[in-house]
Amino acid sequence: MSNVGEVIKERRLAKGMSKRALAEKAGISHSEVHRIENGERQNPSVPMLIALADALGIPQDDILVLAGYKTDGESTPLIERVFPDLKTRKQQETAQKIVDGLSRNSDLKDSQYDELVRQVEMYLDYAKKNTDT
């Protein structure tokens, strides 16, 4: 099995679980389980994969390796590798939430992404000014 969706489906069926039962146990929607299993969701978020792994009894590291978020024997999370300058856990969690949100909303128009970047930059400038005063 080469893709994470196939592994999730195989494990779910082996456990005799429906998509709804897995979704409920993992705390996600059954339509999201369907999209992951059928390969429609190309990059499920790390928290979603961890919830599915826990619900299916799959080691978290195994599913993260399979999804490409980690390599075998690697202990550095993807967000830390992609954004090495983020200094705190809170910064890393914030970046992960933004990435997860973007992956769930991949149908946004370019102009909407541009507006998002503008608003984030504006907020960061505002926050920095308020902490400097």
Side-chain angles (χ1 to χ4, degrees), residues 6 17 23 54-55 96 104-105:
E6 292 172 347
M17 297 174 79
D54 291 346
Q96 184 65 55
R104 284 191 307 274
N105 295 290

Side-chain angles (χ1 to χ4, degrees), residues 47 79 90-104:
I79 204 76
K90 187 64 176 174
Q91 289 173 333
Q92 293 167 354
E93 289 171 359
T94 302
Q96 184 65 55
K97 286 177 184 176
I98 292 169
V99 170
D100 292 346
L102 291 174
S103 71
R104 284 191 307 274

Side-chain angles (χ1 to χ4, degrees), residues 12 37 39 46:
R12 177 182 62 78
E37 287 186 355
V46 170

Side-chain angles (χ1 to χ4, degrees), residues 15-16 28 43 49 51 87 94 97 100 123:
K15 290 187 167 279
I28 64 174
N43 298 311
L49 288 172
K87 305 291 185 232
T94 302
K97 286 177 184 176
D100 292 346
Y123 177 78

Side-chain angles (χ1 to χ4, degrees), residues 23 38 47 70 78 104 113 122:
N38 291 325
K70 291 178 77 174
L78 177 67
R104 284 191 307 274
Y113 286 117
M122 209 168 63

